[in-house]
Amino acid sequence: PERRDAPAPVRSRGLTYGLIAYGLWGLFPLYFPLLEPAGAAEILAHRMVWSLVVSSIILTVVRGWRAIVTMRARTWGLVVAAAALIAVNWGIYIWAVNNGRVVDAALGYFINPLVSVVLGVVIFRERLRPAQWTAVGLGGTAVVVLAVAGGSFPWVALTLAASFGVYGLVKKVIPLAPTASLTAEGLVQVVPEVIYLAVI
């Protein structure tokens, strides 16, 4: 998120990029079904492989490979954890969309900010103002109402929210620029995914 003391053009640009990103994310439920008969695992594998291709090109352009080449074992451990979390998140999301569970998936990403707030307060000792606590309380109440109205345990939503929330937590402590971090995650994921695609 942009700092509140950032210049207005920077805040405006961040808002624009955020709207574009979430707009594209929101269009996935229209896109994934067009890929039939490819299932969730195949779509996930392609998404990981092609994400690595794109991030590798960007990292080459900005000359950022040194950060990956010189990474320490602890950083690699964090990258592996991030790669596993985002694989779970992407996989469940694609499965949900292709199995008529779009509302459950949407609920997961509605819950996600609440998970991030909880992690910020518990892990990073961040403090919320009364108005922020009120917003969190309203959001939490809405989640409970939606979950009860659904009539079943919202495992899809909770898995998406938890995996993406913890992914954000891990990404916060990885000492890499975003492009280098994403590329490193792709390197962790690429071998099993390429093997899987070759087999099918």
Side-chain angles (χ1 to χ4, degrees):
E2 301 290 347
R3 288 173 41 188
R4 278 176 291 164
D5 59 346
V10 172
R11 289 196 308 268
S12 175
R13 191 167 61 239
L15 178 60
T16 301
Y17 291 158
L19 290 173
I20 291 170
Y22 278 100
L24 290 171
W25 190 259
L27 291 174
F28 280 155
L30 300 177
Y31 175 68
F32 289 149
L34 299 177
L35 301 177
E36 291 181 351
E42 184 177 354
I43 295 171
L44 175 63
H46 274 289
R47 186 173 180 183
M48 290 176 170
V49 169
W50 295 110
S51 292
L52 175 60
V53 170
V54 172
S55 64
S56 296
I57 292 170
I58 294 171
L59 199 64
T60 300
V61 170
V62 300
R63 299 181 180 181
W65 282 100
R66 179 172 173 75
I68 292 179
V69 172
T70 59
M71 271 192 344
R72 300 185 176 198
R74 179 182 180 276
T75 304
W76 273 114
L78 292 170
V79 166
V80 168
L85 287 163
I86 202 61
V88 168
N89 188 269
W90 285 356
I92 295 292
Y93 180 70
I94 296 168
W95 177 89
V97 167
N98 284 356
N99 285 274
R101 307 285 292 269
V102 175
V103 174
D104 289 341
L107 179 59
Y109 291 109
F110 181 78
I111 298 171
N112 175 65
L114 299 177
V115 173
S116 296
V117 168
V118 169
L119 291 172
V121 169
V122 173
I123 305 295
F124 297 108
R125 306 292 185 204
E126 295 179 6
R127 297 185 180 209
L128 300 183
R129 297 186 302 276
Q132 291 172 316
W133 278 116
T134 301
V136 170
L138 288 172
T141 301
V143 166
V144 171
V145 169
L146 290 169
V148 171
S152 61
F153 184 74
W155 70 268
V156 170
L158 293 175
T159 303
L160 288 173
S163 59
F164 204 60
V166 178
Y167 173 73
L169 173 68
V170 173
K171 292 284 279 187
K172 185 174 176 64
V173 297
I174 292 177
L176 291 173
T179 304
S181 178
L182 184 63
T183 305
E185 290 167 35
L187 292 171
V188 169
Q189 297 163 337
V190 72
V191 173
E193 299 304 337
V194 168
I195 292 172
Y196 173 75
L197 289 174
V199 168
I200 65 170

